[in-house]
Amino acid sequence: MERELPASLLMFISSRSAANRIFEALQKQGFGDLTIAQSRLMMGIDPEGTRLSVLAERAQIAKQTATALVDKLERAGYVERVADPTDGRARLVRMTSRAKKAIPHARAEEDRIEREWRAHLGTERMQLLREALTDLRKITDPYQ
Amino acid sequence: MERELPASLLMFISSRSAANRIFEALQKQGFGDLTIAQSRLMMGIDPEGTRLSVLAERAQIAKQTATALVDKLERAGYVERVADPTDGRARLVRMTSRAKKAIPHARAEEDRIEREWRAHLGTERMQLLREALTDLRKITDPYQ
DNA sequence: TTCCCATAGTCCTATCAACGAACTATAATA
DNA sequence: TATTATAGTTCGTTGATAGGACTATGGGAA
């Protein structure tokens, strides 16, 4: 008698699978120095640049962790820190052209995964899954 | 115009929320020395004990990582290593009574989360979500 | 049997992620 | 102006992770 796995664990399994695939896709495209945590942080950067503390909040990590990740991203040439014209204490983290080149590859793999999942589940169930997950986010994502 | 988040990211958000809640619940019940990774490994232990390499495979981590996690679990009194009577090379990782006391608390929080999610989504949508996730596992979980 | 290779687990080492605490500089407010 | 809040960094520590090399045991082939 098999115990039913919690929905959260099932989500963990599939989301990890997806994260690994995106990570591997980036590696193959010449972005092998990016890690999953770094990529996740980078995804939170707005086109005009984003403050470190905002990035930390979006990724739900401490400021110190974000500092360390941005340090590595900067050294690898993915982001740059520029002064925030509206606040002398703050700096904006901005993507460089290298990061902008990586994004489409990540998005492409995301789309590929999404299509495979849709093909496996069928269009309608995939749609229901998306809606349920989006709805669930309202009570599981403290930062909207 | 907001870009639709990938389903995998939505899963990541909710699964992390659940993992944090279970982790915090265990902390409050006197199991504050358990980490999320250690708990996850422990969940893979069968009643009669399980080989380290099997645990590593189930958690999808390297043997060395599993060794390190079991070391910590052993030092904290959650598991013990006993000889495998069927294979002189192997040892079985078994839960101690302390671990067995922790399990119900984790399960209880899991159930609480599951109920809240069901209340939020409605019984039918929650059921559809579960089924879709279970089905998806067939193509996202390399170890069944 | 004996020999060779596979397997189970560990040790060593290195890297990454993560964060509490303390600190500096700037902004905002009383 | 003095005080307090905020943005970000630095320091130090812990945990997770894995590559590579190693030991001991098991299993199959000659």
Side-chain angles (χ1 to χ4, degrees):
Chain A
M1 167 65 190
E2 194 56 35
R3 181 175 185 274
E4 277 222 325
L5 294 184
S8 60
L9 182 53
L10 295 169
M11 289 180 197
F12 173 75
I13 290 169
S14 288
S15 69
R16 177 171 56 178
S17 155
N20 286 338
R21 281 189 54 179
I22 295 166
F23 176 64
E24 283 159 22
L26 285 173
Q27 287 210 315
K28 279 182 195 142
Q29 296 294 336
F31 303 99
D33 48 355
L34 276 178
T35 67
I36 292 180
Q38 289 167 25
S39 312
R40 255 200 268 276
L41 191 82
M42 236 172 53
M43 292 298 179
I45 303 178
D46 301 307
E48 69 279 11
T50 306
R51 288 188 190 183
L52 185 132
S53 51
V54 174
L55 290 182
E57 188 176 289
R58 286 182 184 166
Q60 287 184 55
I61 56 178
K63 283 191 305 176
Q64 305 97 304
T65 308
T67 297
L69 291 174
V70 169
D71 283 348
K72 279 174 192 144
L73 285 169
E74 195 170 34
R75 254 182 277 128
Y78 287 103
V79 305
E80 55 188 356
R81 284 184 246 231
V82 299
D84 183 338
T86 73
D87 189 333
R89 294 166 300 179
R91 302 161 80 181
L92 296 175
V93 178
R94 279 206 313 218
M95 291 199 212
T96 63
S97 62
R98 184 167 190 214
K100 288 174 191 161
K101 279 183 198 115
I103 300 289
H105 295 292
R107 294 254 203 270
E109 186 65 19
E110 275 175 5
D111 291 347
R112 223 169 289 134
I113 293 165
E114 203 89 359
R115 277 197 301 275
E116 289 176 23
W117 289 5
R118 180 170 297 112
H120 182 73
L121 293 178
T123 304
E124 194 186 352
R125 289 175 75 208
M126 183 68 186
Q127 181 61 20
L128 290 170
L129 176 64
R130 283 198 66 80
E131 281 165 15
L133 289 170
T134 303
D135 198 358
L136 209 50
R137 189 183 169 203
K138 289 175 193 155
I139 59 170
T140 56
D141 187 354
Y143 299 100
Q144 182 66 224
Chain B
M1 167 66 193
E2 193 56 33
R3 182 176 184 272
E4 280 221 323
L5 295 184
S8 60
L9 182 52
L10 296 169
M11 290 181 197
F12 174 75
I13 291 169
S14 289
S15 70
R16 177 172 55 179
S17 156
N20 286 338
R21 280 189 55 178
I22 295 167
F23 177 64
E24 283 159 23
L26 285 174
Q27 287 210 314
K28 278 179 195 145
Q29 297 293 336
F31 304 99
D33 49 355
L34 275 180
T35 66
I36 292 179
Q38 287 166 27
S39 312
R40 254 200 267 277
L41 192 81
M42 237 172 54
M43 293 297 178
I45 303 178
D46 301 306
E48 70 280 9
T50 307
R51 289 188 190 181
L52 184 132
S53 52
V54 173
L55 290 181
E57 187 176 288
R58 285 183 184 164
Q60 287 185 57
I61 56 179
K63 283 190 305 175
Q64 303 97 308
T65 306
T67 297
L69 291 174
V70 169
D71 283 349
K72 280 176 190 140
L73 285 169
E74 194 170 34
R75 253 181 278 128
Y78 288 102
V79 304
E80 56 188 354
R81 284 185 245 229
V82 300
D84 183 338
T86 72
D87 188 332
R89 295 165 301 178
R91 304 161 79 181
L92 294 177
V93 178
R94 279 206 313 217
M95 290 199 214
T96 64
S97 63
R98 182 165 192 217
K100 286 174 192 160
K101 279 181 198 115
I103 301 288
H105 295 291
R107 294 253 205 271
E109 185 65 20
E110 275 174 6
D111 291 347
R112 225 169 288 135
I113 293 165
E114 203 88 358
R115 278 197 301 275
E116 288 176 24
W117 289 7
R118 180 172 296 111
H120 182 74
L121 293 178
T123 304
E124 194 186 351
R125 289 175 75 209
M126 184 67 185
Q127 181 61 21
L128 290 171
L129 176 64
R130 281 197 66 79
E131 281 166 15
L133 288 169
T134 303
D135 199 358
L136 210 50
R137 189 182 170 206
K138 290 175 194 155
I139 59 170
T140 57
D141 187 354
Y143 299 100
Q144 180 64 222

